[in-house]
């Protein structure tokens, strides 16, 4: 099992980056969900979730991200995912949720989406 890590980085008053490391599964996904919902509730207008260093993502993690997107949408805010790994992107594609998520390949692209 790979250690889970979550690093927060404020870009400015309304934009935030959450970088993840390791496995996102039933054990670690609640921590991710709590942080994302907290950022939306704090009034962040744009959040980037960087999955670059994620080694595994199960359906629990996908569910948390979909719920977070809905939570941000309800607040007229945006959540963008950074995913350059086919291994991590594949579950999103197989479940057909890519049309509900804004997924880009780099942090720079993600921040550009929020500008």
């Amino acid at each position: 099992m790979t250690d889970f890590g979550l690093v927060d980085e404020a870009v400015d008053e309304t934009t935030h980056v959450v970088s993840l490391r390791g496995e996102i599964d039933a054990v670690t996904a609640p921590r991710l969900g709590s942080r994302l919902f907290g950022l939306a509730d704090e009034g962040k207008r744009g959040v980037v979730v960087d999955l670059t260093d994620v080694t595994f993502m199960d359906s629990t993690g996908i569910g948390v991200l979909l719920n977070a997107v809905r939570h941000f949408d309800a607040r007229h805010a945006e959540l963008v995912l950074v995913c350059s790994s086919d291994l991590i992107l594949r579950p999103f594609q197989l479940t057909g949720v890519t049309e509900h998520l804004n997924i880009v390949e780099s942090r720079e692209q993600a921040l550009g989406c929020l500008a």
Side-chain angles (χ1 to χ4, degrees):
M1 175 187 253
T2 304
D3 290 331
F4 173 75
L6 185 152
V7 177
D8 276 307
E9 177 187 341
V11 176
D12 57 38
E13 286 185 19
T14 62
T15 309
H16 208 83
V17 176
V18 176
S19 298
L20 303 173
R21 181 190 77 245
E23 298 182 357
I24 302 174
D25 55 22
V27 173
T28 59
R31 183 171 165 208
L32 170 61
S34 176
R35 186 60 189 134
L36 294 178
F37 276 65
L39 289 168
D41 293 343
E42 290 170 20
K44 298 298 180 187
R45 307 300 302 149
V47 171
V48 173
V49 178
D50 191 341
L51 304 173
T52 302
D53 293 324
V54 170
T55 56
F56 175 80
M57 167 92 64
D58 72 5
S59 60
T60 310
I62 292 171
V64 163
L65 291 171
L66 287 171
N67 286 332
V69 165
R70 285 191 282 274
H71 198 69
F72 274 85
D73 285 347
R75 286 153 180 74
H76 305 288
E78 188 170 2
L79 186 129
V80 180
L81 303 179
V82 175
C83 183
S84 57
S85 164
D86 287 337
L87 177 69
I88 303 305
L89 186 59
R90 188 83 174 127
F92 291 105
Q93 294 168 330
L94 289 173
T95 55
V97 300
T98 53
E99 64 190 48
H100 303 287
L101 299 168
N102 188 356
I103 303 173
V104 297
E105 291 187 8
S106 73
R107 182 182 290 212
E108 292 75 25
Q109 285 178 308
L111 291 170
C113 291
L114 300 175

